[in-house]
Amino acid sequence: VTDTGVACTTTLVCGPPPAPANEECAGATEITCGSTNTVTAAQYVTYTAAASDPDSTCEIAGGGPFTKDASWWYKITTGAAQTSLKLSMCSSTGGGTKDVVLSIYTGACGALVEKACDDDFCTAPAFGPSQLCATVTPNTTYFILVDHYSPADAADYNLVVDCVTSCGPPPSCGTCTGTLEGLPCRIDGDVATGDPNGGCNSTPSAFGFPVTLTTQYCGVASTYVTGTQNLRDTDWYLFTPATSGVYKIEFCTTNFTGLAGFVTNGTTDVTTCAGGGTLAFVAGAGTSVANTVTTITSTLVGGTKYAVFVGPSVFTGVPCPTPGTTNYKFKVIQ
């Protein structure tokens, strides 16, 4: 195009920006030990099918290969004395990473050999982010593939790289041998306000048994659908500290990202719910990834009746545990 005889030197490109180079193995992004590599869901709009991606054995085990429409490639070269490599997406935020398979390969692009893979470790058996640890050879380049089920399933994620000395056994909550919650798991169709341990979310309010220091409690939690609502089974126990001071909830969930904390309504008795105050977590409430023991710390006032809240931090993807088993445990310590 010309204007008054002068050639136009500006090129205008219509449509979305070009796809990132690392949607293909040949454009794999170099990463290093100790790094956190973040991707946002918005970056998936430029992606196209990468038919050359290998089919992970974890994808096949899960019912078939993914669409290859939403994948990211990385590569890392191990150190002279490095023998293990841990990759984790469990710290991902913004709703998690949805359905992701994480794989490590040796060799060259086009002739890769799978070293290890994982599907949904962080939220298993629900769909979600993955984590794996593999024994590696020093001074060797490894390719890493993060593969979403489909572009529509994509969400923000963090890929954390840890060059550990040994993988060791996978983390686990272990068997819970404490006091059982003793109430049924919530399932589709249940009325949220009818939860027998739903605290101030129930009508009338309904709390679990009083909690004593150092006693371990074993419970069941789930997410469920009633009508058009996605709901979660939240359990409310009671705790009254004898004296003011610092108290901790040590908790572990087996198949979901958990949320725990002390709840107050601003009065000396939380069971009055909103009566006379506002329901809120005492500072220190927090979340945990599956199979990871987590401790939250709060300062409580002696003689005040609090609720110990334990449940999923999400509203979908948490099935009831196998009948006769539990999927979380906690205890209050000082």
Side-chain angles (χ1 to χ4, degrees):
V1 179
T2 59
D3 182 13
T4 63
V6 178
C8 177
T9 59
T10 301
T11 302
L12 300 178
V13 179
C14 298
N22 71 330
E23 75 166 329
E24 300 286 354
C25 178
T29 299
E30 189 82 36
I31 56 178
T32 58
C33 291
S35 64
T36 297
N37 307 276
T38 301
V39 169
T40 64
Q43 293 172 265
Y44 283 85
V45 298
T46 60
Y47 260 51
T48 56
S52 60
D53 287 351
D55 294 329
S56 165
T57 56
C58 289
E59 294 175 10
I60 302 301
F66 287 1
T67 62
K68 305 180 186 298
D69 286 344
S71 57
W72 300 85
W73 281 97
Y74 301 90
K75 64 180 178 181
I76 186 170
T77 301
T78 54
Q82 185 181 342
T83 57
S84 296
L85 175 64
K86 179 180 179 181
L87 304 169
S88 177
M89 305 175 76
C90 292
S91 67
S92 300
T93 58
T97 57
K98 298 190 179 179
D99 193 6
V100 174
V101 166
L102 180 61
S103 307
I104 299 178
Y105 299 90
T106 57
C109 295
L112 294 171
V113 177
E114 186 179 290
K115 175 71 175 177
C117 69
D118 176 73
D119 187 13
D120 310 323
F121 171 89
C122 305
T123 55
F127 296 141
S130 300
Q131 174 177 293
L132 60 79
C133 190
T135 301
V136 294
T137 302
N139 298 317
T140 302
T141 297
Y142 290 86
F143 288 88
I144 300 160
L145 176 60
V146 176
D147 199 2
H148 278 83
Y149 180 76
S150 70
D153 193 57
D156 300 358
Y157 76 74
N158 297 323
L159 175 65
V160 179
V161 184
D162 187 9
C163 298
V164 295
T165 56
S166 175
C167 289
S172 172
C173 290
T175 302
C176 188
T177 57
T179 301
L180 295 175
E181 175 194 0
L183 294 172
C185 188
R186 307 293 285 171
I187 59 175
D188 291 350
D190 283 348
V191 178
T193 55
D195 188 341
N197 190 14
C200 294
N201 291 330
S202 296
T203 304
S205 59
F207 294 85
F209 42 71
V211 169
T212 58
L213 283 173
T214 71
T215 299
Q216 183 168 270
Y217 299 93
C218 316
V220 294
S222 65
T223 56
Y224 58 104
V225 178
T226 297
T228 59
Q229 287 186 302
N230 292 317
L231 303 168
R232 58 181 177 175
D233 177 5
T234 60
D235 295 335
W236 301 52
Y237 302 87
L238 296 174
F239 176 67
T240 304
T243 60
S244 298
V246 173
Y247 292 83
K248 302 174 182 179
I249 302 173
E250 183 181 277
F251 70 110
C252 189
T253 60
T254 65
N255 69 330
F256 61 91
T257 301
L259 172 64
F262 296 102
V263 177
T264 180
N265 68 340
T267 74
T268 59
D269 187 354
V270 71
T271 62
T272 62
C273 292
T278 301
L279 282 168
F281 280 114
V282 177
T287 60
S288 70
V289 298
N291 288 302
T292 302
V293 177
T294 301
T295 301
I296 68 101
T297 302
S298 299
T299 300
L300 307 182
V301 177
T304 298
K305 186 179 291 185
Y306 297 89
V308 177
F309 176 105
V310 182
S313 66
V314 294
F315 288 82
T316 60
V318 183
C320 289
T322 303
T325 66
T326 59
N327 60 356
Y328 75 79
K329 65 181 181 180
F330 79 93
K331 60 183 175 181
V332 177
I333 56 179
Q334 195 173 17

